[in-house]
Structures are given as structure tokens and as C-alpha cells.
Amino acid sequence: NEPKLPVPAEEKIKAWLYSSRMPADVREKVFKVSFSSFPVFIQGEEGTGKSEVAKAIHFLSPNKDRPFLRFFCRGLTAEKFAQKLTFWLKNFYKGESIALTLFFEEVENLDWDMQTILLDLWHDQRINWPGLEEIGIEAKIISTSISSLAQAVSAGKFRGDLYQTLEMLPIFLKPLRERKEEIPRLANEILQEHNRELISRKKFSLEALEILQQYYWPGNLSELESLTLRSAVLKEGDILLPEDLIFSFGRLEAEAVPRTEVKKEKIYPAISMAPEEKGNLFDATLSTLAHEIKNPLVAISTFASLLPEKYDDPEFRYQFSKIVNLDVQRINELLENLLEFAQLPSPRIQENFLNQVIREVLRRKEKFFKERGTELILELKDDLPNVLFDGAQLDFVLRNVLDNICKQEAGPNKLKVSTDLKEEDQKRFVELHFWYDTINNIRKMAKAFGEDSGVNFEELNLALSLARKVMVRNRGDMAVTQEEEKGTILSLKFQVAS
């Protein structure tokens, strides 16, 4: 039990790189991009290890001895950035040029002035700021984002040219709920790494590992490590049982799940789908996909037809460039969404605390609602029974529904989310309602391009269409109601656990 010597930061990061936390395909990308001077963009939810990946890229590069400066972008103005850089140069560096690595966390929060500085830095290797203009800066830029930068570009909150620059070498980190088969190995690896601190060698029972695989992990790898160490430290014996798992939901501001619920969690058989049934679901999606791809192509075609006569108009050229960029990104998002749907396996049904999952998904959109000034109203009924649904597919449904709502051009000004317990034909089910005070923007697009544009505007858009198909797969249902004066209501119906 001799004291453990401190591990240098570089060795810690490299150990993390070769651990199970780093998927093999991501590790391979990290090695490749570390030898390049081009910008690297890392996207992933909170707790997926974005900062560790960024540090690994730096330490693996031929220029690992360069300074590594880290900036958290929420609230980072151009002035604060320049002050921090000036302070560092004044106290730690003398000369006319400097080579360094700049790491920007949550880059989607950069304000417009800071975005311009970052773009100029990449192109000119200089910063247009008093005291910094004469210093040549050769910077390797690494940035991370929790949300989609393409959506920020579509919303007019992020520069399209900067987006294309930063995403030159992209790395995507999957959430832990999409790596469920790896959770037993990850959890046991965490225990092994901390055996000295835990005094005795502890391990999980098979039943406890099954519970960990069923959980949806909003905090991803960070939450898994916290839960593993918390449960191990407070366990007197060597074998961690289901009742020893201590989940913490305090940071989510939601109801705590009693430990008895975790202990009694039941494993339900997977819902198998016949090949022809899955094929029918996919075939029915093709017309919706074609419709959604046709909309941006019609817009691009309309602008292109006017290009010869208005080419000398700089404002028109700017608008043409903007709409092409946004619509190409939109098509890319559609195809990525469809690919994710096509790769979903047969549902593995489990019990889900619906109110908890809703709060977590809404938390990810909190920044968007604040920026839009959207009033969020929660009416979540207490004491609801757990619903039966595949955990990862439930997240897919709620993400698609909320993404559809957030892409409304004129709002929403209000969004009400409510749950309730209903009974019909002597069967109980939980209903989830999303009400918002805008009509889907497909009607506005119809007016903009004219009714003779040949586009069918009555079908559900792809996000909602895929969400409904996943609801049906999990023996649930979904309905969409639009009323000109009242807005839009999305209703989701879930089976409840007996």
C-alpha cells in the first residue's frame, strides 16, 4: 500500500488513449490527425471524453512540446481571448512568432466577433488586435462541440465558412448508450485502475452489469466512472450487487430513482421484427426523404436560374452562397438521421423513468431555448409507472421530436411538455404531449415558392416520420395535430410496465 506516485499529464492521457474508453476507430483517427496541422473538430455529448481526445492529439503530435492553451467558449469574448493570449505571451514568450496548440471547448458558444478572429487567425496566422497584430501565430486549432454546428449555421448563429474550416478533420464520439455492449468491460476497467485506492479488489456481479447496460447514461463515461467509484467505495464486500449501485440524479434536477426500483428492474424479451416488416418501414420513408431533399434543391435551383442576370450583385451572390451552404448541410443532416434509423437494432425493451429521460433531453436544449426566448412549461405528472421502451431508441425519438420543434423558423415562443396516465379498453398507458405555438414551416415554404412548385407539403417531415416509426417498433404510437390558431401538438403514447 505504498503511496502512488503522481503520473505526468502526458502519461495519463496516453493511458486513457489505450484504454477501453477510446473506441478503436476513434483511436485510429486520433493517430492520423495528430500528425496534421489542419484543424480538428470533436463532437460528442458531455462526458464522452472530448477534452481527453484533444490532449491526446496534442501529445501524439511531433510538436507536443508546443504550448497547449485551453479556452472555454461560453462567455469568451474577443477581448477576453486577446487579454489571455497577451498575458501568456508577455510572461512566457518573447519573439516575433509563436507556434502553439489552441483548444476551444464548446465552440458553438463563440460570439460573432470571436468567430471572425478565429477565422482570420487560421487564414492569416495573425490576430487583428492591439498588441498582437505584429506577432506571427502558427496555431493548431482543436475545437469541440456538444451540439451540431451545422444546426447553428442553419440558425444563422455560426459562420458557415468557419464551420467548414474547423470541421476539416472531424471526430465523432458516440454516447455511452450506443456502446452498451462495452459497458461491462469499461466498468471493470475503472475498478482495476483504482484498486489501490479501494484497498480491496472489487468487481461487479453479472446482475449488476445487466443493470448498467440497461441504464441510458446521460452523463456518459464521466457518469459511469463516478457511479462505479461511488458504489465501490461505499460497498463493504468485494462483489457489487444491483442494490449496491448508487445512481445520482441531483445535477439533472429530477426525482431520484429509489434503489429498490433498480434492484427490481425486469429484463424484457427483445421485440423481433420480420425482415419484410423492417423493409416496409424503410420503404415508406423513401417518399418522405425524397420530399425533404427536393425542397432545398428547389431553392437552390430557383436562385441558380437568377444567377446569370444578378451575378454582379454582391448581396445576391452572398445570399446564393448562404442558401447553398445551408441547404447542403440540411441534406447531410437528413441522410445522417436516416442512416442512424436504418442501423437501429430490434428493440431491447426495458423499463424507463420517462419524466427523467424527458428532463435530460430538454436539458441538452436549454441553451437553445434561452437564446430563442422560448418559455418552457413542464407539467410532468408525479408517480407515473415506468414505460416499456428501448432506452437508446427512446432517446432517438425524443431527440427527433425536439430537433423538429427547434428548427421552426418563427419560434416557438412557448413549449409545453406534459405527461399523464391514461386508461383505454382496460389498458393503462402513459401519454406525452409536446405543444408549441407555431405551425410547421412547410406551409411557409409552400407560400414562398408558390403552390405550383410540385412539392407535396402535406407529409410529415423526416424527423417526425422516423420518430413515429420507432414508436411503432416499440409498441407505442404517435400523432401530430396542427391547428392554425392553436399551434402544433405532438402526442406520444407508451406502454407501461405491469
Side-chain angles (χ1 to χ4, degrees), residues 343-362:
Q343 293 175 339
L344 290 177
S346 295
R348 179 188 170 98
I349 298 301
Q350 61 196 72
E351 296 186 22
N352 294 271
F353 187 28
L354 185 59
N355 284 355
Q356 178 66 45
V357 182
I358 293 169
R359 288 179 185 272
E360 166 58 18
V361 176
L362 288 171

Side-chain angles (χ1 to χ4, degrees), residues 155 247 276 298 300 340 343 432 469 484:
F247 292 82
E276 62 271 14
V298 168
I300 293 172
E340 182 180 2
Q343 293 175 339
L432 166 61
K469 294 180 191 304
E484 202 67 54

